[in-house]
Amino acid sequence: KEYTAEPELWFHDIFRKDGTPYKEEEVALIKKLNTEASATN
């Protein structure tokens, strides 16, 4: 399906085409999990 506008429910990418996050909370969670994983290795 070709979208002409941003879909109401975002289901695939973390970032928009311009590089900004779709959900800041999601990016914060990914950063937190990566930090925690790095600390345990």
Side-chain angles (χ1 to χ4, degrees):
K1 179 176 179 178
E2 184 176 334
Y3 292 98
T4 57
E6 190 173 278
E8 185 175 324
L9 175 61
W10 199 264
F11 59 91
H12 183 10
D13 295 320
I14 297 170
F15 298 100
R16 293 181 170 95
K17 286 184 180 183
D18 67 0
T20 59
Y22 175 69
K23 286 186 173 181
E24 288 289 341
E25 302 86 19
E26 187 174 32
V27 173
L29 175 62
I30 292 168
K31 287 179 181 179
K32 179 180 183 257
L33 294 173
N34 280 325
T35 301
E36 290 174 1
S38 293
T40 60
N41 290 330

